[in-house]
Amino acid sequence: MLVELRVRDLGVIDDQALLLGPGMTALTGETGAGKTIVVEALGLLVGERADALLVRPGADEALVEGRFAAEPDAAGVDGAGERILARAVAAGGRSRAYLDGRMASAAALAETGGELLDLHGQHAAQSLLAPATQRAALDLAGGVDRGPLDELRRQRRALTAREAEIGGDGRARAHEVDLVRFQLAELDAATLEDPEEDDALRAEEERLGGAVALRAALATAHEALAGDGGAVDWVGAALAAVGGHGPLAALTQRLRAVAAEVADGADEVRRLAERTEEDPARLAEVGSRRQLLRELRRKYGDTLGEVLAYREQARARLAELESHDATAAALGEQRRRLDAAIADAEAALGRARRAAAGPFATAVEHRLQELALPRARFEVLVDGPAGESVTWLLGANPGEPALPLTKVASGGELARTMLAARLVLGAAGEAVGRTLVFDEVDAGIGGEAATAVGRALAALAAHHQVLVVTHLAQVAAFADRQLVVAKEVEGSRTVARVRPVEGAERVAELSRMLSGRPGSATARRHAEELLAEAVPAAPARPGGRRKPAVRSSARAGR
């Protein structure tokens, strides 16, 4: 639902902000007042062509911003989620698009805007003109279920991928068999079992490598202590030199203690050296094994666990390749069964769509008769095995050929056809929430036909937010709220203002639309009658609440 629209420097609008609510809103005003500019602003949000001529003279660029939010649910709880769309059109002709405050491509804006907003009338950005949308609408109206065919096609895509996976080229398959056999031989020869083997080997290698260095250090220490000319000899020589001299008795005692300590240390070094075992052969074996494991990880996985998993995958792949012919035959038979099932499902879907086309066309024709197109012909052309090609055709007048809606020249006829289709689809359970904008829907009608159009729009507003640009009081009277567009002269500039009208002001605006004389007593009585008659037909809002009043603000000169 569109909850806020801001337009700046677009056409005769300088700066206008509108707050909108659910239900039906009528946009009225004198011819040329600028009502169409509001619709063109909305068109920019759904990706319509950005024309530099739309930029207000003297402005650098025009800006349109729309804030969309989920509509309240049946309990009256406000919906969650909000999207903000924006489009800037430079006076030089280039445009920029924004989604939720971030720069976006015009295509992305059009895609998102098309999901939130639908224009009906002289504009081309109408979702129901798209062939895929017309097909989906026919399915909805006829209760056609395409789920079984979609599932069969999903299975067929998976089967095609499976066939490609097992390989179809004999030479390539033979080459892969040789490669996988070589890899398996290499992996099996390595006799890998433990994914933690390398960690254990690393610890053993560190221990064995340390033993060599430790024995070398101990040997050097023993030689320094007890070897010829070592510490034991030097301390003994010093002791012999001072021994027997009375004044040196204390020193002699200390040297004896040192000699005993050095001799004890030399014995300890010898014992440690004898207990330290060296195994150069095992060290070399561990190093070689670790190198092999590194090579396997380089080829088959970052860890030994991944290498072991690859080995099992290779074993399964080899079995698959060696049984290729049997597997290919089984897949081929499965493909033939699926193709036959798909053909049957397509035929059934085509029959269902063709069966739904007549009642849907009749229902739309009936609605068109209520909307002042009493002799219009609406047809649904269904073609293709699954009825995948769906085209809506309209012959608005007797003697005219029924043409695809994209070729219908009259914006009013197109808008009324879309209104009729929306009413039929709403009865079929079409999803609610999209904002629908109708321009020219009342072109060329009046009287009871206009009342029927107004009543139809009000009924549609039970399922969607509806904004209608109208010149007819009979249509505007059915709206939940009414906005009036009027031109004003400020200084030397003409600007358009959009403001809500309620109560007596709304009666005066409807009087103007009826007679051109807002003060006419007769026109006022007629306007009051229209409003009174329209009230019972107005759709109930979610939760039974009255819809909030529209607020409008305009900031001139900024």
Side-chain angles (χ1 to χ4, degrees):
M1 181 179 74
L2 178 63
V3 296
E4 184 174 0
L5 176 68
R6 184 185 180 193
V7 183
R8 190 184 71 200
D9 292 328
L10 187 73
V12 291
I13 298 177
D14 60 345
D15 199 339
Q16 183 79 51
L18 299 175
L19 300 181
L20 304 173
M24 177 178 168
T25 300
L27 192 66
T28 64
E30 296 279 4
T31 300
K35 300 185 297 298
T36 302
I37 294 294
V38 177
V39 180
E40 289 176 336
L42 293 172
L44 290 173
L45 296 183
V46 295
E48 289 193 348
R49 180 175 173 269
D51 192 336
L53 294 176
L54 292 173
V55 180
R56 183 173 171 80
D60 294 330
E61 68 176 15
L63 176 66
V64 179
E65 297 174 291
R67 181 162 60 92
F68 294 81
E71 200 164 351
D73 60 20
V77 179
D78 287 342
E82 183 176 270
R83 303 302 303 272
I84 298 177
L85 282 61
R87 186 91 174 271
V89 182
R94 297 180 64 86
S95 71
R96 304 186 308 281
Y98 300 88
L99 281 175
D100 300 324
R102 297 177 177 271
M103 289 188 293
S105 66
L109 181 73
E111 181 180 358
T112 302
E115 296 171 355
L116 301 169
L117 184 69
D118 212 351
L119 303 183
H120 299 298
Q122 60 189 341
H123 300 269
Q126 303 187 44
S127 65
L128 285 178
L129 290 180
T133 308
Q134 292 182 0
R135 182 177 63 239
L138 175 63
D139 289 347
L140 173 64
V144 177
D145 182 11
R146 57 168 296 155
L149 178 59
D150 289 342
E151 173 59 22
L152 287 171
R153 286 175 172 171
R154 185 198 64 77
Q155 295 177 18
R156 183 65 173 82
R157 290 192 297 271
L159 179 62
T160 300
R162 175 66 176 143
E163 288 179 321
E165 189 179 287
I166 68 169
D169 181 79
R171 181 175 297 176
R173 192 165 58 252
H175 176 73
E176 187 178 359
V177 166
D178 290 343
L179 175 61
V180 175
R181 282 177 177 165
F182 171 81
Q183 292 174 335
L184 274 175
E186 184 177 34
L187 291 166
D188 289 340
T191 62
L192 279 178
E193 299 297 339
D194 183 6
E196 308 298 330
E197 179 184 0
D198 195 46
D199 293 336
L201 290 175
R202 182 187 301 109
E204 184 179 3
E205 186 177 48
E206 290 174 355
R207 182 177 60 79
L208 290 172
V212 174
L214 182 59
R215 281 183 65 90
L218 290 170
T220 300
H222 188 270
E223 181 64 23
L225 290 172
D228 292 340
V232 172
D233 289 344
W234 282 102
V235 174
L239 184 59
V242 299
H245 296 280
L248 302 177
L251 178 59
T252 300
Q253 188 62 31
R254 290 177 61 190
L255 288 175
R256 284 196 183 98
V258 171
E261 188 66 26
V262 171
D264 187 58
D267 288 340
E268 180 65 20
V269 169
R270 177 182 55 77
R271 287 192 298 272
L272 288 173
E274 290 173 352
R275 287 200 301 268
T276 302
E277 298 181 1
E278 288 186 48
D279 193 345
R282 176 57 184 165
L283 181 61
E285 181 182 341
V286 170
S288 177
R289 177 68 175 176
R290 292 198 69 202
Q291 178 60 34
L292 173 62
L293 297 184
R294 280 192 291 271
E295 286 296 313
L296 295 179
R297 288 199 304 272
R298 182 180 64 82
K299 294 179 181 179
Y300 305 115
D302 292 334
T303 66
L304 288 184
E306 293 180 5
V307 173
L308 287 167
Y310 184 88
R311 183 179 65 184
E312 296 311 309
Q313 293 168 6
R315 209 181 304 281
R317 178 60 176 162
L318 181 61
E320 186 178 85
L321 289 168
E322 290 177 338
S323 61
H324 171 271
D325 291 344
T327 302
L331 292 177
E333 178 59 28
Q334 185 180 351
R335 174 167 33 82
R336 285 188 287 275
R337 290 197 302 270
L338 267 177
D339 287 344
I342 288 172
D344 290 343
E346 285 180 339
L349 185 59
R351 288 193 297 271
R353 282 172 170 160
R354 291 180 178 89
F360 177 60
T362 299
V364 174
E365 273 191 7
H366 177 71
R367 290 289 188 176
L368 287 173
Q369 291 169 8
E370 299 174 352
L371 301 176
L373 289 173
R375 303 185 68 179
R377 296 189 341 272
F378 183 81
E379 301 174 9
V380 179
L381 179 63
V382 180
D383 198 9
E388 62 271 19
S389 177
V390 175
T391 306
W392 294 1
L393 310 174
L394 177 68
N397 302 300
E400 292 182 358
L403 298 175
L405 289 183
T406 53
K407 299 183 182 300
V408 173
S410 168
E413 293 168 354
L414 182 58
R416 272 176 277 169
T417 302
M418 292 304 183
L419 174 56
R422 287 288 185 192
L423 290 168
V424 173
L425 294 174
E430 183 185 25
V432 302
R434 184 189 292 264
T435 297
L436 306 180
V437 181
F438 288 89
D439 188 18
E440 294 189 352
V441 70
D442 56 5
I445 63 172
E448 287 299 320
T451 301
V453 169
R455 185 177 292 109
L457 288 166
L460 191 62
H463 306 285
H464 300 276
Q465 181 189 40
V466 174
L467 177 63
V468 57
V469 179
T470 181
H471 292 278
L472 298 181
Q474 295 93 326
V475 173
F478 280 92
D480 297 284
R481 65 191 59 78
Q482 187 168 347
L483 304 178
V484 176
V485 183
K487 285 183 179 179
E488 300 175 1
V489 178
E490 296 182 354
S492 60
R493 302 293 298 272
T494 299
V495 297
R497 293 279 180 257
V498 184
R499 63 183 183 88
V501 290
E502 298 177 350
E505 284 190 315
R506 187 174 184 187
V507 172
E509 172 63 11
L510 292 176
S511 300
R512 180 201 63 77
M513 298 172 71
L514 287 166
S515 67
R517 299 166 58 197
S520 167
T522 302
R524 289 178 67 86
R525 285 195 299 272
H526 190 186
E528 290 169 349
E529 290 175 1
L530 287 176
L531 287 171
E533 293 172 359
V535 168
R541 301 269 60 83
R545 301 184 304 172
R546 292 291 298 171
K547 290 173 289 181
V550 178
R551 288 180 290 158
S552 172
S553 63
R555 294 175 291 279
R558 287 193 289 170

